[in-house]
């Protein structure tokens, strides 16, 4: 090998990582090195070409899915992937801002109305602002209560909904005032076409300062009614934390057997506001009266509790409720879940109810310490938990015709007319007083209560219509008959 230029290359084919050295001619080595470098460059080019092709392929799929509206997203807590409808394309007439007012269920029904209004006026709806200034002083935002992304995407075939105004509009209202107005209560769609829409077109952005009871119960086109239902029963899902904890409560209850949800509206604020003090002592009556006078926007101050109770205008007391459920032959072993805040009078007022139904439970007694902590200072989040449980219960019993009672009743009708006992408070007061004074014995009392409630179980019924008196009609969200199967009517 004398006089021959040599080099060293590694033989990588040797097993176990050992390297064999061999000598080759340098010219051949240079040629071999060039071939190897070229192959490496080609391999790298092929690698990046594959990555680019894969990216372009995925991008094309994403564009097509967006165009077809088949975006599939796995939401937290959802058992299956959610498929969203295609976006509705229309000429936008402007933007609608909404300030919802009231408690959870008052705001809930108002949001449904505003979605329907936005859709049929062809305007973009900004996610409604929740009431943070009412009596309950709950600072929760929309996304704290509802699944905001699902709300927006599930309705995109009907109306465009944004989380906030686009930058151009936001910047505009930094220098000029925003046009605001409260829409007229119990209005039909012609009011929104003839009064509200022209103002949106004039100002570009309109702020509606109230949302409760802004659409009439009756005389509304069927497609509008059905959209109100779709928003309420499909699009307004609770936020993942509320949904998860609500499902956990329901699971615990179902594992133990059937359960009745009792919306026992016997909290201090309700009694003070209504002026109802049946069963309260003198000190409690003074406390309730003082509270009523402390809130100037509670207009009625001097209230005759006895007369109001006899007219059936007071929430049923825990004692009256226990008698009614016993008379209706509700199983005394059933779990009774109290969907309410602190009962005024505490355990003293719950004693008769607990004696009649020993399996009395609340979310505080079903959950481990700390699980309710993220919700406890937010009345609307706590109400949302109770709403979820009420929908899933075997029996739902409201003791007062407030917003939760009305909206839950309607939701249970929509889900197949699940059993809801609607207490006839006027009849119950009369029968309870007669039973207590000895005019009726127990059997007579029980028969009379059954007769008074024979049509009070949430069964199919036609929604009442009273011309000129929409407040006296059955509330649309209590009996959304346009959205129910014809076989249910």
């Amino acid at each position: 090998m004398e006089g021959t230029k040599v080099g060293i290359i590694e033989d990588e084919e040797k097993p176990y990582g050992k390297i064999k050295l061999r000598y080759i001619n340098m010219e051949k080595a240079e040629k071999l090195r060039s071939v190897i470098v070229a192959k490496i460059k080609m391999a790298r080019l092929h690698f990046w070409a594959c990555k680019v092709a894969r990216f372009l392929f995925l991008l094309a799929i994403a564009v097509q899915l967006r165009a077809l509206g088949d975006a599939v997203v796995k939401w937290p807590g959802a058992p299956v992937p959610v498929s969203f409808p295609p976006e509705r394309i229309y000429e936008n007439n402007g933007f609608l801002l909404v300030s919802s007012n009231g408690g959870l269920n008052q705001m809930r029904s108002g949001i449904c109305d505003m979605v329907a209004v936005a859709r049929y006026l062809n305007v973009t709806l900004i996610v409604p602002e929740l009431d943070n200034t009412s009596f309950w002083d709950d600072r929760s935002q929309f996304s704290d209560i509802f699944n905001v992304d699902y709300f927006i995407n599930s309705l995109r075939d009907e109306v465009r909904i944004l989380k906030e105004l686009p930058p151009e509009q936001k910047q505009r209202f930094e220098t000029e005032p925003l046009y605001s107005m409260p829409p007229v209560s119990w209005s039909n769609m012609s009011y929104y076409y003839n009064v509200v829409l022209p103002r949106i077109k004039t100002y570009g952005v309109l702020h509606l300062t109230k949302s409760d009871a802004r659409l009439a119960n009756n005389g509304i086109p069927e497609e509008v009614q059905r959209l109100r239902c779709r928003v309420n029963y499909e699009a307004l899902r609770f936020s993942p934390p509320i949904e998860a904890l609500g499902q956990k409560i329901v699971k615990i209850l179902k594992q133990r057997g059937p359960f009745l949800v009792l919306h026992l509206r016997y909290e201090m604020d309700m009694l003070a506001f209504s002026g109802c003090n049946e069963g309260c002592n003198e000190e409690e009556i003074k406390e309730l009266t003082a509270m009523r006078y402390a809130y100037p926007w509670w207009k009625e101050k001097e209230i005759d509790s006895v007369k109001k109770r006899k007219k059936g205008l007071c929430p049923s007391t825990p004692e009256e409720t226990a008698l009614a459920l016993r008379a209706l032959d509700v199983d005394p072993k059933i779990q009774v879940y109290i969907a309410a805040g602190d009962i005024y009078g505490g355990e003293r007022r719950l004693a008769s109810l607990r004696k009649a139904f020993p399996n009395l439970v609340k979310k505080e007694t079903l959950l481990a310490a700390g699980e309710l902590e993220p919700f406890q200072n937010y009345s609307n989040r706590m109400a949302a938990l109770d709403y979820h449980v009420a929908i899933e219960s075997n029996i739902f019993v409201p003791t007062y015709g407030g917003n939760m009672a009305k909206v839950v009743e309607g939701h249970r009708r929509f889900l197949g007319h699940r059993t809801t006992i609607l207490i006839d408070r006027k009849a119950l007061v009369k029968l309870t007083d007669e039973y207590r004074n000895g005019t009726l014995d127990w059997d007579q009392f029980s028969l009379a209560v059954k007769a008074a409630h024979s049509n009070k179980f949430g069964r199919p019924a036609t929604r009442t219509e009273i011309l000129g008196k929409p407040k006296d009609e059955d509330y649309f969200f209590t009996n959304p008959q346009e959205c129910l199967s014809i076989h249910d009517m």
Side-chain angles (χ1 to χ4, degrees):
M1 294 181 62
E2 186 177 348
T4 304
K5 294 180 180 180
V6 297
I8 301 174
I9 65 168
E10 297 175 348
D11 187 349
E12 295 180 349
E13 295 180 356
K14 190 70 176 176
Y16 310 116
K18 293 182 180 179
I19 297 173
K20 175 183 177 182
L21 300 182
R22 57 190 174 92
Y23 295 91
I24 63 172
N25 185 281
M26 282 294 291
E27 291 179 359
K28 291 182 179 180
E30 288 296 329
K31 289 181 180 179
L32 183 59
R33 185 182 294 110
S34 297
V35 170
I36 292 172
V37 169
K39 287 185 177 180
I40 291 172
K41 287 182 177 180
M42 286 297 294
R44 287 176 177 172
L45 182 62
H46 180 72
F47 171 77
W48 285 108
C50 289
K51 290 199 72 171
V52 170
R54 182 172 179 270
F55 171 76
L56 292 174
F57 177 70
L58 292 175
L59 181 62
I61 291 175
V63 170
Q64 290 178 16
L65 286 176
R66 179 172 176 80
L68 294 172
D70 283 333
V72 177
V73 181
K74 184 72 168 62
W75 294 100
V80 294
V82 178
S83 181
F84 292 122
E87 294 181 10
R88 175 172 173 250
I89 307 300
Y90 59 93
E91 185 176 343
N92 182 37
N93 287 322
F95 297 87
L96 182 63
L97 296 172
V98 175
S99 291
S100 302
N101 61 302
L104 173 67
N105 293 288
Q106 188 172 327
M107 290 192 290
R108 182 187 182 107
S109 55
I111 290 167
C112 299
D113 288 354
M114 292 300 104
V115 170
V117 167
R119 189 264 182 252
Y120 287 98
L121 297 188
N122 285 338
V123 298
T124 297
L125 177 68
I126 307 304
V127 170
E129 176 186 57
L130 300 191
D131 189 345
N132 295 154
T133 60
S134 63
F135 170 83
W136 295 276
D137 193 29
D138 187 328
R139 298 288 169 179
S140 297
Q141 303 302 312
F142 190 98
S143 59
D144 296 319
I145 304 293
F146 302 108
N147 188 326
V148 64
D149 292 318
Y150 187 86
F151 173 71
I152 292 171
N153 287 300
S154 66
L155 292 169
R156 66 185 189 177
D157 60 326
E158 293 284 3
V159 60
R160 184 185 181 213
I161 305 174
L162 301 177
K163 292 182 181 179
E164 58 182 13
L165 280 171
E168 184 179 343
Q169 279 73 26
K170 286 178 69 175
Q171 187 175 7
R172 173 187 160 196
F173 292 108
E174 290 175 0
T175 57
E176 60 182 84
L178 179 66
Y179 185 83
S180 299
M181 61 175 285
V184 175
S185 300
W186 309 110
S187 298
N188 56 31
M189 287 302 297
S190 63
Y191 165 78
Y192 289 93
Y193 291 131
N194 298 330
V195 177
V196 175
L197 182 57
R199 298 184 188 186
I200 295 177
K201 288 183 174 181
T202 298
Y203 298 101
V205 180
L206 179 65
H207 174 217
L208 297 182
T209 57
K210 291 182 182 294
S211 66
D212 66 312
R214 301 299 133 171
L215 274 178
N217 299 310
N218 299 297
I220 300 292
E222 187 167 313
E223 61 269 20
V224 179
Q225 301 287 57
R226 288 185 176 274
L227 180 56
R228 294 167 89 180
C229 291
R230 179 180 167 188
V231 181
N232 196 22
Y233 307 129
E234 298 175 19
L236 280 178
R237 292 186 177 183
F238 288 124
S239 65
I242 292 174
E243 195 83 10
L245 195 58
Q247 289 173 356
K248 181 172 183 177
I249 296 171
V250 170
K251 183 179 180 181
I252 292 170
L253 288 166
K254 285 185 175 181
Q255 287 174 341
R256 299 179 179 184
F259 67 100
L260 176 155
V261 167
L262 178 61
H263 185 44
L264 188 59
R265 199 68 171 92
Y266 206 77
E267 300 111 328
M268 183 178 182
D269 64 293
M270 170 52 69
L271 299 182
F273 175 78
S274 65
C276 298
N277 52 40
E278 173 72 13
C280 296
N281 57 41
E282 289 187 11
E283 185 178 340
E284 289 170 335
I285 292 172
K286 288 179 181 178
E287 184 179 40
L288 294 172
T289 303
M291 184 178 187
R292 183 163 64 253
Y293 276 91
Y295 292 93
W297 53 89
W298 290 358
K299 297 178 181 178
E300 196 176 10
K301 302 299 181 185
E302 291 295 325
I303 301 173
D304 188 325
S305 176
V306 174
K307 287 183 178 179
K308 195 165 186 178
R309 175 175 172 269
K310 286 184 176 180
K311 290 180 180 179
L313 300 177
C314 288
S316 297
T317 66
E319 296 86 359
E320 291 166 346
T321 303
L323 286 172
L325 296 180
R326 282 181 57 210
L328 292 169
D329 294 333
V330 174
D331 186 351
K333 296 179 181 178
I334 196 170
Q335 298 173 93
V336 176
Y337 174 95
I338 297 181
D342 294 330
I343 302 304
Y344 192 63
E347 195 58 38
R348 176 177 67 85
R349 296 306 301 270
L350 284 173
S352 60
L353 183 61
R354 191 180 296 280
K355 182 178 179 181
F357 298 93
N359 292 326
L360 214 58
V361 296
K362 297 181 71 173
K363 46 189 173 292
E364 291 84 355
T365 63
L366 294 171
L367 297 171
E371 288 185 282
L372 276 176
E373 191 173 343
F375 305 86
Q376 282 179 326
N377 293 323
Y378 302 94
S379 58
N380 287 329
R381 300 183 204 183
M382 295 286 271
L385 287 172
D386 284 341
Y387 185 103
H388 181 92
V389 179
I391 294 302
E392 297 295 329
S393 64
N394 300 93
I395 305 172
F396 174 62
V397 183
T399 61
Y400 189 69
N403 286 296
M404 178 166 172
K406 293 175 181 177
V407 178
V408 169
E409 178 190 344
H411 202 152
R412 289 174 67 84
R413 284 181 182 274
F414 182 81
L415 294 173
H417 296 281
R418 295 177 178 177
T419 302
T420 301
I421 300 177
L422 306 169
I423 293 178
D424 185 331
R425 295 190 302 279
K426 185 176 181 179
L428 182 61
V429 164
K430 179 177 180 295
L431 294 171
T432 297
D433 289 347
E434 290 176 353
Y435 171 66
R436 284 173 174 169
N437 66 27
T439 304
L440 297 175
D441 62 24
W442 176 255
D443 290 338
Q444 293 170 323
F445 173 75
S446 182
L447 285 172
V449 170
K450 289 184 176 74
H453 292 83
S454 60
N455 63 343
K456 299 285 186 181
F457 288 85
R459 294 177 183 138
T462 302
R463 191 174 63 241
T464 58
E465 185 173 356
I466 306 172
L467 293 177
K469 294 184 177 181
K471 290 183 181 180
D472 296 333
E473 298 174 334
D474 287 341
Y475 188 36
F476 171 78
F477 290 105
T478 297
N479 187 6
Q481 63 186 34
E482 293 90 341
C483 310
L484 308 178
S485 168
I486 191 170
H487 301 294
D488 293 336
M489 300 305 296

